[in-house]
RNA sequence: GGUCGCGUAGCUCAGCUGGAUAGAGCAACGCCCUUCUAAGGCGUCGGUCAUAGGUUCGAAUCCUAUCGCGAUCACCA
């Protein structure tokens, strides 16, 4: 039990003894005391004035006296207006540090057999072009959220639905067969996804040229796009694909393999992974059965042309198409089909979709439809809806070539990290392999932290220059503090100091150290909140605050020069646990920490 | 036009289950390395929390309206 909980109960008891009234846990407002006042925790007494029938100050003094007398943790108090600032004893803080010290992954709860199963879908790429900055945000958030949910005692299954079919893939295929000269990743040395993406661009280039020519002959833009031979050919290819044409299928399989190989490299570098991958080519027909079932049960209706619709007027929404007149599926149908397969594979208790906020409406509808179709988790499915990533110049536009490629981006940050690490000169004795590894950790740390510190729901601006910054609220700043603590611990070990398992509670530690312990314990709450709100950014901002606070502590006290052995040990243990929380917090974000940098 | 989201310092962002004088970083200008990693610390400068009402002991936070920005409302995925 932490100090806040203990005090909360003590205050409830105090109110009962002093004023003879019952209050519940939520009515006791205990918060962290503001820096400019003395004390650690502050009780807001305004809510109790009706019970005490006294002035705020008098009520606060009464409760303060009661707590000092009746609890062992409250040492002193002061009152400012309706705020009762409580000072916790040094020994109580050391006991708290002891319990953190005893817990390996402090703040995290392991899942057991009875834990709910949470499935998280993220990434969900198309196979016609490489991953870009938007996917990076998706992947980082999805992976971080998976870690956060797991740390809150859930069984987590990470999944990816790959959109491997459709007209866009046919465009790449067509362009490759027309202009490709049998190029392969091996012959060109290009990553497979980039190679395929290049042909998608090539298609667009030739198609545009065609349009221009046709329009020069007097056609309108619409007429031209309808008459374009290239586009017609692409459509024909799609039909052939759907009819299982062996040649088209073989090409499709070949090119998708290239892309998967490329994606695997990117995922690996990014540090994300999946437990189960679904392919749309497998699931896109599955939804039909479910829709027909819903049609039979009267949830949906058929129009004269044979198309099937859901009427969501009762939910305040419009009608939504589920099957085209020709019986083929639309996006919504596919998501229903995927849901069906997933539920057959896993006993899902909660489904989380990590998908951009431009699809808010889609998931609102999907939730209703899945619920109607009898999926127990449909109603409460979570659309983890994140905002768009924009550049300082505005949105990314493929037409203007401003799309930021994921592979290039990662390579750039690692390269710059290597330059900076080498420049500083602390790694001179390290081998090139070690330096490469540190550069990788630091570079990716900068990128990941830059993206994850922002509230996922909001649109964000991605400034390439700032993303590789190493000062201020950045990943490397935090990693640096971690590395520095490791250095201190190494030096301590060299001096033959052994980290104690049991702490001396009689030591009088400084006010800053006490506040630092308080900040460490906040981590458990932060992890819980992140799981509740499905929002990892809270963890990033928390770790930053903790690190800043530790830096002040580090600056003010020389740990290894401290003469009082007990005090020295406490500071070492405190530093060790700060490092532990940094590492745990960063691991929830999918960011590594270096032992030196 | 309907629906949803967002608007906090010059810039990027915290803070939002209502709590004390609204916080960081970047940028600008100072100070601190014979001291465990200065990728650090300390300070100065910078605000009508979009606007107007409302709810109450108390509102950046909750409610309503207005303005601005964005997304979406496809037989695209």
């Amino acid at each position: 039990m932490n100090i806040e909980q203990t005090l909360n109960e003590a205050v409830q008891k105090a109110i009962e003894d002093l004023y003879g009234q019952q209050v519940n846990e939520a009515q006791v407002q205990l918060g962290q005391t503001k820096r400019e006042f003395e004390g650690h925790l502050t009780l807001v007494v305004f809510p109790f004035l009706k019970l005490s029938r006294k002035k705020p100050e008098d009520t606060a003094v009464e409760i303060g006296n009661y707590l000092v007398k009746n609890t062992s943790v409250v040492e002193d108090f002061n009152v400012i207006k309706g705020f009762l600032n409580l000072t916790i004893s040094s020994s109580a803080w050391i006991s708290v540090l002891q319990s953190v010290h005893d817990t390996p992954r402090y703040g995290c709860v392991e899942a057991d057999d009875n834990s709910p199963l949470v499935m998280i879908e993220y990434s969900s790429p198309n196979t016609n072009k490489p991953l870009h900055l938007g996917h990076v945000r998706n992947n980082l958030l999805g992976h971080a959220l998976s870690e956060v949910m797991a740390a809150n005692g859930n069984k987590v299954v990470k999944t990816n639905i790959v959109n491997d079919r459709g007209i866009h893939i046919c465009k790449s295929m067509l362009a490759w067969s027309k202009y490709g000269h049998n190029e392969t990743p091996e012959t060109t040395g290009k990553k497979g996804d980039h190679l395929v993406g290049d042909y998608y661009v090539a298609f667009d280039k030739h198609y545009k040229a065609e349009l221009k020519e046709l329009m020069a002959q007097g056609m309108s833009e619409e007429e031209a796009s309808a008459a374009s031979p290239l586009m017609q050919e692409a459509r024909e290819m799609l039909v052939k694909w759907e009819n299982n044409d062996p040649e088209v299928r073989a090409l499709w399989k070949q090119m998708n393999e290239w892309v998967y190989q490329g994606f695997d490299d990117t995922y690996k570098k990014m540090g994300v992974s999946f437990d189960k991958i679904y392919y749309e080519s497998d699931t896109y027909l599955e939804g039909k059965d479910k829709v027909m079932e819903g049609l039979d049960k009267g949830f949906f209706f058929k129009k004269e042309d044979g198309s099937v619709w859901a009427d969501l007027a009762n939910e305040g929404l419009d009608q939504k198409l589920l099957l085209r007149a020709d019986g083929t599926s639309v996006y919504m149908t596919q998501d229903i089909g995927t849901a069906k397969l997933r539920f057959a594979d896993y006993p899902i208790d909660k489904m989380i979709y990590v998908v951009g906020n431009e699809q808010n409406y889609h998931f609102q509808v999907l939730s209703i439809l899945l619920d109607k179709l009898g999926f127990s988790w449909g109603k409460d499915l979570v659309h983890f809806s994140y905002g768009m990533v924009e550049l300082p110049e505005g949105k990314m536009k493929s037409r203007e070539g401003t799309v930021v490629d994921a592979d290039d981006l990662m390579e750039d940050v690692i390269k710059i990290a290597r330059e900076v690490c080498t420049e500083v000169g602390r790694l001179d004795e390290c081998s090139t392999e070690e330096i490469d590894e540190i550069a990788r950790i630091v570079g990716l740390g900068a990128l990941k932290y830059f993206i994850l510190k922002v509230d996922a729901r909001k649109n964000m601006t991605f400034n390439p220059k700032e993303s590789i910054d190493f000062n201020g609220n950045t990943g490397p700043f935090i990693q640096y503090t971690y590395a520095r603590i490791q250095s201190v611990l190494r030096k301590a070990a060299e001096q033959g100091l052994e980290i104690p398992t049991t702490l001396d509670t009689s030591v009088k530690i400084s006010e800053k150290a006490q506040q630092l312990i308080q900040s460490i314990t906040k981590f458990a709450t932060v992890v819980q909140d992140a799981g509740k709100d499905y929002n990892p950014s809270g963890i990033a901002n928390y770790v930053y605050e903790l690190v800043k606070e530790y830096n002040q502590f580090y600056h003010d006290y020389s740990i290894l020069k401290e003469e009082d052995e007990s005090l020295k040990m406490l500071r070492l243990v405190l530093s060790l646990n700060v490092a532990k929380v940094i590492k745990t917090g960063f691991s929830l974000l999918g960011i590594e920490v270096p032992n030196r940098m």
Side-chain angles (χ1 to χ4, degrees):
Chain A
M1 169 138 23
N2 62 35
I3 285 190
E4 206 167 312
Q5 283 170 320
T6 314
L7 270 179
N8 193 306
E9 282 174 18
V11 171
Q12 291 178 49
K13 184 101 195 328
I15 302 292
E16 198 179 339
D17 287 357
L18 291 170
Y19 311 122
Q21 308 250 16
Q22 297 270 349
V23 291
N24 61 36
E25 195 185 329
Q27 283 168 284
V28 178
Q29 291 182 49
L30 267 173
Q32 204 163 343
T33 303
K34 291 222 162 196
R35 284 274 172 267
E36 51 277 31
F37 301 103
E38 202 189 319
H40 302 112
L41 287 162
T42 295
L43 178 73
V44 185
V45 299
F46 287 108
F48 307 129
L49 298 184
K50 281 179 188 147
L51 307 179
S52 72
R53 298 168 182 280
K54 288 178 182 156
K55 280 188 277 186
E57 289 83 351
D58 297 345
T59 310
V61 170
E62 266 184 2
I63 298 172
N65 277 322
Y66 179 98
L67 291 173
V68 170
K69 201 183 291 176
N70 294 293
T71 70
S72 56
V73 294
V74 179
E75 195 173 67
D76 197 5
F77 71 91
N78 66 82
V79 174
I80 294 166
K81 291 193 271 182
F83 299 93
L84 171 61
N85 300 322
L86 303 166
T87 302
I88 310 302
S89 71
S90 176
S91 65
W93 285 123
I94 295 173
S95 307
V96 169
L97 179 61
Q98 176 76 61
S99 69
V100 174
H101 191 45
D102 294 340
T103 317
R105 254 172 88 87
Y106 173 74
C108 302
V109 180
E110 299 289 321
D112 58 38
D113 291 346
N114 298 321
S115 299
L117 189 143
V118 180
M119 180 178 267
I120 301 180
E121 172 195 298
Y122 70 98
S123 201
S124 311
N126 290 352
T127 58
N128 62 322
K129 50 187 172 196
L131 304 177
H132 60 71
L133 185 52
H135 296 110
V136 174
R137 193 179 194 190
N138 181 304
N139 286 320
L140 296 180
L141 284 171
H143 179 255
L145 187 63
S146 304
E147 295 294 320
V148 168
M149 295 313 286
N152 277 287
N154 296 291
K155 282 183 277 187
V156 173
V157 176
K158 295 176 283 182
T159 186
N160 187 357
I161 172 82
V162 178
N163 180 15
D164 60 347
R165 58 164 284 280
I167 189 75
H168 43 290
I169 285 114
C170 291
K171 289 180 186 175
S172 290
M173 285 157 59
L174 185 65
W176 183 85
S177 34
K178 276 189 177 312
Y179 325 113
H181 313 294
N182 287 314
E183 274 188 1
T184 68
E186 287 76 32
T187 61
T188 55
K190 272 186 202 164
K191 260 183 99 225
D193 51 337
H194 287 262
L195 182 72
V196 172
D198 287 348
Y199 284 103
Y200 187 72
V201 173
F203 175 92
D204 201 55
K205 201 182 89 191
H206 286 92
Y207 173 61
K208 289 270 159 57
E210 257 186 20
L211 284 188
K212 204 173 162 193
E213 203 171 301
L214 290 169
M215 282 160 78
Q217 289 166 18
M219 283 192 189
S220 72
E221 197 176 333
E222 260 175 54
E223 288 167 340
S225 64
S228 154
L230 262 179
M231 192 58 95
Q232 275 178 11
E233 242 181 295
R235 287 204 196 91
E236 281 163 20
M237 202 172 220
L238 182 60
V239 173
K240 278 186 184 168
W241 182 91
E242 293 196 353
N243 293 331
N244 264 315
D245 179 280
E247 214 171 299
V248 171
R249 283 283 178 150
L251 176 60
W252 171 74
K253 214 172 162 200
Q254 170 73 86
M255 290 183 76
N256 272 346
E257 279 309 316
W258 294 342
V259 173
Y260 297 147
Q261 191 55 56
F263 283 175
D264 281 350
D265 292 348
T266 307
Y267 286 145
K268 203 169 173 192
K269 190 148 216 171
M270 212 179 286
V272 306
S273 61
F274 304 94
D275 302 307
K276 173 79 184 172
I277 296 178
Y278 291 91
Y279 298 92
E280 229 165 61
S281 53
D282 294 330
T283 69
Y284 84 110
L285 294 173
E286 289 287 336
K288 277 194 198 174
D289 297 349
K290 270 281 166 192
V291 171
M292 296 316 285
E293 192 186 313
L295 186 64
D296 288 344
K297 290 187 180 160
F299 300 149
F300 309 137
F301 69 95
K302 202 173 227 179
K303 284 197 177 172
E304 284 174 6
D305 63 1
S307 56
V308 178
W309 296 72
D311 187 354
L312 303 174
N314 290 340
E315 282 81 8
L317 304 171
D318 292 335
Q319 299 185 347
K320 192 79 191 173
L321 178 83
L322 298 175
L323 286 177
R324 297 189 184 101
D326 62 9
T328 55
S329 321
V330 292
Y331 180 37
M332 188 64 75
T333 328
Q334 294 176 30
D335 261 351
I336 293 171
T338 313
K340 178 183 150 189
L341 284 182
R342 282 173 176 161
F343 197 59
D345 291 343
Y346 299 92
I348 299 170
D349 293 303
K350 185 153 214 84
M351 183 72 214
I352 302 177
Y353 295 87
V354 182
V355 180
N357 63 9
E358 72 272 14
Q359 293 193 31
N360 284 355
Y361 182 72
H362 173 80
F363 281 97
Q364 204 183 337
V365 173
L366 182 66
S367 173
I368 294 167
L369 294 180
L370 290 179
D371 184 50
K372 282 194 183 194
L373 290 169
F375 291 96
S376 53
W377 44 270
K379 195 166 178 234
D380 295 319
L381 72 79
V382 175
H383 173 205
F384 181 62
S385 158
Y386 61 90
M388 308 182 69
V389 185
E390 286 165 25
L391 300 171
E393 312 80 60
K395 289 179 191 166
M396 286 193 288
K397 290 187 183 127
S398 51
R399 230 171 269 176
E400 292 165 25
T402 55
V403 175
V404 178
D405 178 78
D407 295 311
D408 295 348
L409 182 60
M410 287 193 286
E411 221 159 273
D412 287 351
V413 290
I414 292 168
K415 187 172 150 245
I416 289 163
R418 184 182 291 107
E419 282 166 17
V420 176
C421 289
T422 325
E423 228 168 72
V424 173
R426 267 195 296 272
L427 301 176
D428 290 348
E429 303 127 42
C430 292
S431 66
T432 41
E433 288 79 25
E434 281 172 314
I435 290 177
D436 282 350
E437 177 67 356
I438 291 166
R440 186 186 67 79
I441 291 173
V442 173
L444 289 178
L447 173 63
K448 290 179 180 183
Y449 186 85
F450 186 84
I451 289 176
L452 288 170
K453 73 175 175 185
V454 181
D455 185 339
R457 289 179 290 264
K458 293 184 179 172
N459 287 1
M460 68 173 291
T461 306
F462 183 87
N463 188 325
K465 281 196 194 100
E466 286 171 18
S467 72
I468 48 174
D469 206 335
F470 291 6
N471 302 312
N473 188 358
T474 65
F477 168 79
I478 293 163
Q479 289 171 322
Y480 174 66
T481 300
Y482 179 86
R484 206 163 48 182
I485 293 173
Q486 297 311 309
S487 171
V488 173
L489 292 171
R490 275 195 298 271
K491 290 247 161 61
E494 279 166 24
Q495 291 178 20
L497 292 172
E498 263 187 56
I499 303 292
T501 48
T502 310
L503 305 176
D504 180 356
T505 51
S506 67
V507 183
K508 203 77 189 142
I509 53 171
S510 69
E511 186 57 28
K512 263 199 177 124
Q514 294 181 31
Q515 286 177 355
L516 198 48
I517 295 172
Q518 188 176 7
S519 298
I520 291 175
T521 59
K522 234 177 102 185
F523 182 58
T525 321
V526 169
V527 174
Q528 273 178 29
D529 288 349
K532 234 180 280 170
D533 305 343
Y534 309 108
N535 204 348
S537 74
I539 293 176
N541 287 298
Y542 160 81
V543 174
Y544 174 61
E545 294 297 330
L546 178 69
V547 161
K548 261 201 313 182
E549 208 178 323
Y550 179 78
N551 278 340
Q552 289 171 20
F553 174 82
Y554 177 88
H555 183 260
D556 286 358
Y557 305 104
S558 301
I559 299 168
L560 297 173
K561 296 217 170 87
E562 175 59 49
E563 299 200 344
D564 182 329
E565 281 299 315
S566 301
L567 194 50
K568 188 198 278 187
M569 283 308 172
L570 268 166
R571 287 183 187 161
L572 272 175
V573 170
L574 186 50
S575 300
L576 175 77
N577 282 285
V578 167
K580 185 165 86 181
V581 168
I582 293 172
K583 188 175 185 175
T584 310
F586 261 32
S587 80
L588 296 183
L589 298 172
I591 306 176
E592 294 169 77
V593 283
N595 285 323
R596 61 182 79 223
M597 64 186 276

